[in-house]
């Protein structure tokens, strides 16, 4: 979980730094500023930070506005660093860099571990046009100081790409990663109050990636940090990386684990959600830690599965320079309610008790029909004349996609015992003679460990899906997880109260691509179960049955996320 802080000491200071903020997140006429009396004090900031860290937060981010204008920022970082024994792992800062290079060494000494610098152009003249002031040299000095530090664990550049303004510099930013261990993150232009947002000025991340791969065709996809908002890539041989934050074209709500506390103490569960709850007022009314945790839990429970269409969002400006941002990922338990989070773990103290009691019957996702407004169903793999046709996915963005499928094979007690035991000398009687059973056992043993062989076959099958299913697109799978679990279940086809021996196959497939991986997951399960059949047919060939094959979970893509149980 991350925690970000912003703060100001005077109207004069903030007005000075308003001019250094890009037009895309601050209108030229400025904004009405929050009086200092309403801003969280240093003590209140540290109290909230301590509360969240005790509850499982491991990362705190100071952001803005501009955090370096906060009086006492050095002391705040030092006090945050004292929370490490409670579980805090890192202290990060997002800065425009204008007043940073002289203070950065002391900030690092006081405990700063991660730095994000906002820099939208490498051209000093364009920098002045965007920010309405000079200062390009100061930002570059801050970057050089950061890269020279052996104590900072990561240095990132945030680049908001605007068509016709700085999109021509994308390759120059990528080239910065050749010699320096910097991570450049290209951010899609987002709507904020007063920034005159225009969809025509937004460059989708997929277009940027296409432009980059035309110059660097051998770029490789690399693993992202857990719950990272960026999808990262690397040019082989370069020291740094580049990535994309696709808030507009491909939301990352399903992996978002952030909470924000504004400068005046309002908790926000989503940057694009206007709902806020004041922790400042509760603290100043004398609320104890348990009461604050209850309020935080209520706010978390109201987090939507994903934000609305970005074109409909008008996000207010940050009115001060210090805001608290938390990323929720700590010890706890999986959230199982669609209105809270999507399959992530949140610290138990933040989770309201009445939601805990609903966990067993709650579903992980709810299916979104936002992109299925056409009331007339149609088969996507048929053209207008009814002939087979591969779906055109060229206009889709490359996104992270995942699907889980399950299926079951029903087997005999003898076969079940072979699978689950070390092949004992005496086996259960099921109408077969001991001699026939012994021969069947011998044949099964010659083929090897049934479940291990089936697991490998399932993984291989998922990778061959496009070869087996004619109109499936070939996809670069990033991970395939397969498990086979022996289970004794009650079946509707058996007499009342009778149990059936079975093996449950579960396959989860993930990829970075333009279409989903449901077929790959289904193929993995089908091949895995067929392999079990082949391994056990010598002892149970006439009595086995395969069924209940279905997709139980899916995330990513236009059609939205969903989840269901095998017995739904």
């Amino acid at each position: 979980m991350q925690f970000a802080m912003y703060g100001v000491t005077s109207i004069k200071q903030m007005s000075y730094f308003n001019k250094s903020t890009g037009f895309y997140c601050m209108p030229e006429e400025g904004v009405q500023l929050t009086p200092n009396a309403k801003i969280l004090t240093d003590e209140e900031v540290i109290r909230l930070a301590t509360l969240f860290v005790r509850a499982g937060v491991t990362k705190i981010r100071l952001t803005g506005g501009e955090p370096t204008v906060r009086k006492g920022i050095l002391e705040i970082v030092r006090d945050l660093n004292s929370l490490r024994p409670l579980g805090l792992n890192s202290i990060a800062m997002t800065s425009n860099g204008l007043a940073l290079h002289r203070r950065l060494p002391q900030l690092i000494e006081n405990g700063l571990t991660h730095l994000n610098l906002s820099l939208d152009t490498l051209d000093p003249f364009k920098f002045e046009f965007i920010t309405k002031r000079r200062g390009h040299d100061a930002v570059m000095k801050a970057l050089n100081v950061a890269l020279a530090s052996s104590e900072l664990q990561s240095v990132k550049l945030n680049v908001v790409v605007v068509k016709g303004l700085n999109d021509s510099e994308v390759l120059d930013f990528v080239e910065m990663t050749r010699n320096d261990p910097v991570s450049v993150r290209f951010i899609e232009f987002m709507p904020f109050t007063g920034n005159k947002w225009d969809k025509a000025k937004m460059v989708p991340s997929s277009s940027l990636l296409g432009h980059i791969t035309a110059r660097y065709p051998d770029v490789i996809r690399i693993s992202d940090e857990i719950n990272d908002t960026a999808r990262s890539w690397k040019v082989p041989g370069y020291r740094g990386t580049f990535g994309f934050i696709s808030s507009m074209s491909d939301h990352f709500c399903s992996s978002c684990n952030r909470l924000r506390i504004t400068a005046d103490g309002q908790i926000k569960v989503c940057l694009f959600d206007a709902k806020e709850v004041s922790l400042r007022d509760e603290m100043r009314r004398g609320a104890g830690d348990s009461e604050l945790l209850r309020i935080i839990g209520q706010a978390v429970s109201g987090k939507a599965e994903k934000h609305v269409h970005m074109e409909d969002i008008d996000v207010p400006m940050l009115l001060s320079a210090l805001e608290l941002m938390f990323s929720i990922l700590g010890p706890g338990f999986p959230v199982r309610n669609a209105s809270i989070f999507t399959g992530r773990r949140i610290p138990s103290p933040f989770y309201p008790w009445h939601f805990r009691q609903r966990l067993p019957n709650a579903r992980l996702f709810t299916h979104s029909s936002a992109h299925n407004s056409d009331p007339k169903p149609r088969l996507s793999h048929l053209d207008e004349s009814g002939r087979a046709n591969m779906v055109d996915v060229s206009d889709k963005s490359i996104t992270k996609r995942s699907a889980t499928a399950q299926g079951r094979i029903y087997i005999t007690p003898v076969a079940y015992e072979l699978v689950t035991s070390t092949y004992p000398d005496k086996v259960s009687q099921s109408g077969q003679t001991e001699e026939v059973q012994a021969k069947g056992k011998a044949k099964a043993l010659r083929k090897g460990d049934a479940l291990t062989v089936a697991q490998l076959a399932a993984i291989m099958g998922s990778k061959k899906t496009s070869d087996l299913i004619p109109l499936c697109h070939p996809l670069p799978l990033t991970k395939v997880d397969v498990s086979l679990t022996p289970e004794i279940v009650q079946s509707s086809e058996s007499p009342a109260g009778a149990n059936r021996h079975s093996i449950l196959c579960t396959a989860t497939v993930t990829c970075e691509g333009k279409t989903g991986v449901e077929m790959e997951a289904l193929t993995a399960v089908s091949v895995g179960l067929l392999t079990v059949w082949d391994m056990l047919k010598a002892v149970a060939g006439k009595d086995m049955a395969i069924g209940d094959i279905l997709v139980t979970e899916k995330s990513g893509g236009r059609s939205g996320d969903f989840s269901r149980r095998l017995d739904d």
Side-chain angles (χ1 to χ4, degrees), residues 488-507:
I488 299 177
V489 297
Q490 190 170 14
S491 174
S492 59
E493 300 178 6
S494 298
N499 292 327
R500 295 186 71 183
H501 296 73
S502 70
I503 295 174
L504 175 68
C505 181
T506 304

Side-chain angles (χ1 to χ4, degrees), residues 121-310:
T121 178
L122 299 175
D123 183 339
F125 298 101
K126 194 181 294 184
F127 180 92
E128 186 173 348
F129 171 77
I130 294 174
T131 65
K132 311 304 179 187
R133 62 166 286 114
R134 296 177 182 176
H136 185 269
D137 289 345
V139 180
M140 296 306 295
K141 285 181 181 178
L143 175 61
N144 291 332
V145 172
L147 292 173
S149 171
S150 60
E151 301 298 322
L152 279 179
Q153 297 178 23
S154 75
V155 179
K156 299 177 181 179
L157 285 183
N158 291 341
V159 184
V160 177
V161 180
V162 181
K163 183 176 292 186
L165 180 64
N166 62 346
D167 53 329
S168 61
E169 298 184 65
V170 167
L171 295 179
D172 296 329
F173 276 105
V174 173
E175 194 59 26
M176 290 181 68
T177 68
R178 178 191 291 269
N179 298 316
D180 293 313
V182 62
S183 174
V184 178
R185 307 179 336 154
F186 299 110
I187 304 173
E188 291 178 342
F189 183 35
M190 295 180 290
F192 288 91
T193 300
N195 72 349
K196 301 177 181 178
W197 184 84
D198 184 350
K199 187 175 182 179
K201 297 179 182 177
M202 194 272 291
V203 185
S205 296
S206 57
S207 298
L208 294 179
L209 180 59
H211 183 47
I212 293 171
T213 54
R215 168 72 71 85
Y216 306 98
D218 57 346
V219 296
I220 56 176
R221 182 75 168 87
I222 61 176
S223 299
D224 301 317
E225 297 177 14
I226 188 169
N227 297 105
D228 201 350
T229 56
R231 279 114 179 175
S232 301
W233 301 74
K234 182 181 180 67
V235 179
Y238 282 26
R239 296 185 64 194
T241 64
F242 67 91
F244 306 96
I245 298 180
S246 311
S247 303
M248 297 297 296
S249 64
D250 179 29
H251 71 81
F252 39 81
C253 302
S254 64
S255 61
C256 174
N257 68 339
R258 272 78 171 166
L259 284 181
R260 298 170 184 267
I261 310 297
T262 63
D264 56 354
Q266 309 292 319
I267 183 171
K268 291 177 67 72
V269 297
C270 176
L271 179 62
F272 303 106
D273 188 344
K275 295 192 295 292
E276 297 178 348
V277 179
S278 178
L279 297 179
R280 177 205 62 201
D281 292 347
E282 296 300 326
M283 285 192 292
R284 294 180 183 181
R285 277 197 287 263
D289 289 352
S290 60
E291 176 64 12
L292 292 175
L293 285 172
R294 185 191 64 80
I295 296 170
I296 294 168
Q298 287 182 337
V300 170
S301 69
K303 180 176 173 65
E305 178 186 347
K306 61 182 179 181
H307 53 61
V308 300
H309 290 295
M310 295 297 295

Side-chain angles (χ1 to χ4, degrees), residues 15-173:
S15 299
Y16 174 81
F17 273 86
N18 278 352
K19 298 178 181 179
S20 67
T21 305
F23 70 87
Y24 45 80
C25 63
M26 182 69 73
E28 290 187 25
E29 64 272 16
V31 294
Q32 182 179 355
L33 301 175
T34 303
N36 283 348
K38 294 186 177 181
I39 301 297
L40 290 175
T41 65
D42 293 357
E43 291 75 16
E44 289 169 333
V45 165
I46 299 302
R47 180 186 176 188
L48 286 176
T50 304
L51 187 67
F52 275 82
V53 171
R54 287 185 182 278
V57 171
T58 60
K59 184 174 184 178
I60 293 179
R61 174 171 295 277
L62 318 177
T63 179
E66 177 49 44
T68 59
V69 303
R70 169 92 180 206
K71 184 178 180 181
I73 188 65
L74 293 173
E75 290 73 22
I76 288 176
V77 173
R78 180 200 62 203
D79 291 344
L80 291 174
N81 196 47
S82 68
L83 301 180
R84 290 185 179 278
L86 301 180
L88 182 64
N89 294 331
S90 60
I91 303 171
M93 177 181 288
T94 299
S95 170
N96 63 27
L98 286 173
L100 183 62
H101 69 275
R102 290 191 181 90
R103 311 183 79 178
L104 186 54
Q106 187 61 53
L107 286 167
I108 295 173
E109 183 177 339
N110 284 10
L112 189 71
T113 59
H114 296 69
L115 178 66
N116 288 21
L117 285 175
S118 300
L119 180 64
D120 301 319
T121 178
L122 299 175
D123 183 339
F125 298 101
K126 194 181 294 184
F127 180 92
E128 186 173 348
F129 171 77
I130 294 174
T131 65
K132 311 304 179 187
R133 62 166 286 114
R134 296 177 182 176
H136 185 269
D137 289 345
V139 180
M140 296 306 295
K141 285 181 181 178
L143 175 61
N144 291 332
V145 172
L147 292 173
S149 171
S150 60
E151 301 298 322
L152 279 179
Q153 297 178 23
S154 75
V155 179
K156 299 177 181 179
L157 285 183
N158 291 341
V159 184
V160 177
V161 180
V162 181
K163 183 176 292 186
L165 180 64
N166 62 346
D167 53 329
S168 61
E169 298 184 65
V170 167
L171 295 179
D172 296 329
F173 276 105

